[in-house]
Amino acid sequence: MYFAALLARTEDGWEASDTELDDVETLSDLADLAREASPDEDTVLVLIEQEDAWFGVVRVDGEEDPRIYVSDAAAAARSSYGEILLTDELLGRDPDDGDDLDALDLDGTEDGESDEDDDAAEDGAGAAGSAESVPHGPVGDAMILDDLGVSEKELRLLATDAVTEIAESLGASETLETVR
């Protein structure tokens, strides 16, 4: 079970809306959803919590790149919603986009097929290694809420009911409860 909400900061304070993440497939989709919640390009926070196992915060400030914090990357990696947040950049991995095209044998020769088998074996080992490289514990920008009153230390200490505690620190707990 998960809970996801958008908190948009406006001139009148925080406005909350619950959000369904079923149609969100990428971080870019999530950032677009957040931007739609604030047409004035104000700060929008996407708060995601899954069964007190992990929580994530995505901060979108206008057209800037989203900032991300995930409390436990290993737990989030086991969740389809967590996978949206765990980008290669966040995990410190180099994307292997070009390698996949290099491994393809487009001419169909026997020499190429032999090389492809070797490459596939190597790629399989690499994929297993990358799954293991997801760290246990927090990843991302721990200073994501610092200017809003939640310090890095406070954020790292949050465990159960993290979304509620964040909302309380922001002065938005009543607003968040309207969508919970």
Side-chain angles (χ1 to χ4, degrees), residues 99-110:
D99 292 346
D100 293 340
L101 292 176
D102 292 340
L104 292 176
D105 175 28
L106 299 177
D107 67 2
T109 61
E110 286 185 27

Side-chain angles (χ1 to χ4, degrees), residues 24-44:
V24 174
E25 295 179 7
T26 66
L27 180 60
S28 181
D29 293 344
L30 188 60
D32 290 344
L33 183 69
R35 287 184 184 103
E36 289 171 12
S38 178
D40 296 330
E41 296 189 5
D42 293 317
T43 298
V44 179

